[in-house]
Amino acid sequence: QVQLVESGGGLVQPGGSLRLSCAASGIIFSTYYMRWYRRAPGKERELVAAITSSGTTDYARSVKGRFTISRDNAKNTVYLQMNSLNPDDTAVYYCNAEWISRYWGQGTQVTVSS
């Protein structure tokens, strides 16, 4: 059974930082292309960051320079370090794994507010 479990969300003030984690099980993690998406209230789902099996990264323009995606294949975990957060970053953040099949986590809420 495949599971992706996100953690690390919460309430943070503008300018603050959070690190999201997504722990995978039931897949050969190192072969999977991993992505973070987010969905803000009333908005479409947005691709935030992606990392290939070899570690190549890509980011949405809105987060480039502030967010960093990384992976630890030994721990079957992908991370999203989020710095300089602003209220527009408020959303539910979802982890996604894709290779032959595609899997989703349940999401973790990130709220940026003073």
Side-chain angles (χ1 to χ4, degrees):
Q1 182 183 359
V2 177
Q3 280 193 310
L4 300 178
V5 180
E6 298 101 334
S7 61
L11 174 64
V12 63
Q13 291 188 339
S17 298
L18 283 174
R19 188 175 84 151
L20 305 183
S21 300
C22 171
S25 59
I27 59 173
I28 304 173
F29 180 79
S30 61
T31 65
Y32 274 73
Y33 194 102
M34 301 299 297
R35 301 179 179 96
W36 285 98
Y37 286 83
R38 66 186 180 188
R39 176 169 279 161
K43 293 187 177 180
E44 298 278 319
R45 185 176 64 195
E46 176 188 18
L47 175 60
V48 175
I51 186 167
T52 69
S53 58
S54 61
T56 301
T57 59
D58 196 16
Y59 299 92
R61 189 176 302 177
S62 59
V63 307
K64 195 170 288 188
R66 300 188 298 122
F67 290 12
T68 302
I69 187 171
S70 61
R71 65 190 298 159
D72 185 336
N73 290 338
K75 295 183 178 180
N76 288 358
T77 301
V78 62
Y79 303 98
L80 186 67
Q81 177 66 44
M82 306 186 295
N83 299 329
S84 301
L85 286 161
N86 61 65
D88 289 340
D89 297 316
T90 295
V92 179
Y93 284 71
Y94 297 91
C95 174
N96 169 264
E98 182 171 2
W99 182 40
I100 296 173
S101 299
R102 202 169 191 195
Y103 303 101
W104 292 90
Q106 82 289 350
T108 186
Q109 176 70 48
V110 172
T111 302
V112 185
S113 175
S114 55

